[in-house]
Amino acid sequence: MTSSVWQPPTGRPAGRDPEVRRSLSQLREHSDRLARTWSGLVFLAVLCLFAGLWASLLLATLAVVVTGVRMAGFWFQVGRHLGAMERLLAAEPARSVDAESLGGRLLKIDGKVLRFPTRMPTGRVWVVGPNRAGEAVVFVDAVITPNFGQVVSATPEHLSVRPQRQWRPWQAARAAGRSAARAHARRWLFTIVVTISIGAELAPQPQVLGWLYAIAGSVILVLAGRQWLRIVPSLHASRQLREPLVEYPARVITEKSVAVTLPDGSELTGVLLWSVQLLANVRASGRLWVAGEPATGTTLGVGVPEYPIAGVVRFN
């Protein structure tokens, strides 16, 4: 296995790296998507209020609260730090350092203790900063997502240092697949319940209600089915990635496709169904790690050995 994976640039400001810019853009897009979803639910709740649909109003209000909590959690952990991270990344290069875990969300880097919104791994990391305000950005090897850290003035007296969990590609695939399945179930279950509630309140006549539910059910079935078909490969990836990963020369063609060079010198293209982190490592290494033998018409798990990065490729 090659050890060549993506790492932030050390000779120029890290923010100039296209992978870093892409990662920051994705974080902002995720924040905007949460805000749009929340706004749509608020609009639905207002419509139910003016229409006097009290049961539907209760459901819509509950969805507003749940989505608002998710939006606030993302803002607290990531969103409020995006501006500071962009300024730091635009001004300074990254440097490779050894990090020591002090338990929880604390890391000791260059003699300074930094607190992060989420748990951070121990080992070699790339850090930008800290600046005068004690703000820093940390990258973990092979992962393009930046992590915001803040220097703390004093180390807590009581620390519970737990052994760091070593994630593998199949574990990352399993976690991502389960998360996608849960999100799909929540989204469409809410849609079905609200549709039933609004229909029952708007059209109490059995014949009208029957036609309404038949049309709405058909639309929901088609849309939910299409989305589920996109999720299925990620659910199978964890099982596929338990097989040994084989390294192939590869290149990125577009943001959703790669080309793999087979042992006989021929090139096989494939569509990447999942994982932007993986694309960054293919660009950096010129390699793709495949669980199985690439062939036309196969869908295989792919990942970066020893890192929590996984994906699925459907070969043409």
Side-chain angles (χ1 to χ4, degrees), residues 127-248:
V127 61
V128 179
N131 59 14
R132 293 182 179 180
E135 300 167 335
V137 178
V138 171
F139 292 92
V140 180
D141 201 12
V143 180
I144 66 175
T145 304
N147 300 276
F148 179 83
Q150 180 74 48
V151 175
V152 297
S153 56
T155 306
E157 295 181 2
H158 302 288
L159 297 173
S160 57
V161 181
R162 300 177 182 178
Q164 291 290 321
R165 184 178 181 181
Q166 297 297 319
W167 285 78
R168 297 292 183 265
W170 70 267
Q171 294 171 312
R174 182 179 62 182
R178 289 178 176 177
S179 177
R182 287 194 299 266
H184 183 273
R186 287 194 303 265
R187 181 186 307 114
W188 289 105
L189 179 61
F190 172 75
T191 302
I192 292 170
V193 171
V194 169
T195 301
I196 293 173
S197 177
I198 292 177
E201 292 184 291
L202 281 178
Q205 299 88 352
Q207 187 175 3
V208 176
L209 191 60
W211 278 105
L212 177 64
Y213 284 164
I215 295 171
S218 300
V219 173
I220 290 174
L221 184 63
V222 170
L223 296 179
R226 288 182 59 185
Q227 288 191 3
W228 179 253
L229 290 176
R230 298 191 189 107
I231 294 174
V232 169
S234 66
L235 298 176
H236 295 164
S238 61
R239 184 177 65 253
Q240 295 170 331
L241 284 166
R242 291 178 185 270
E243 300 180 16
L245 289 170
V246 181
E247 182 182 290
Y248 290 89

Side-chain angles (χ1 to χ4, degrees), residues 244-261:
L245 289 170
V246 181
E247 182 182 290
Y248 290 89
R251 60 187 178 88
V252 176
I253 303 175
T254 68
E255 287 303 310
K256 292 187 178 180
S257 62
V258 294
V260 174
T261 302

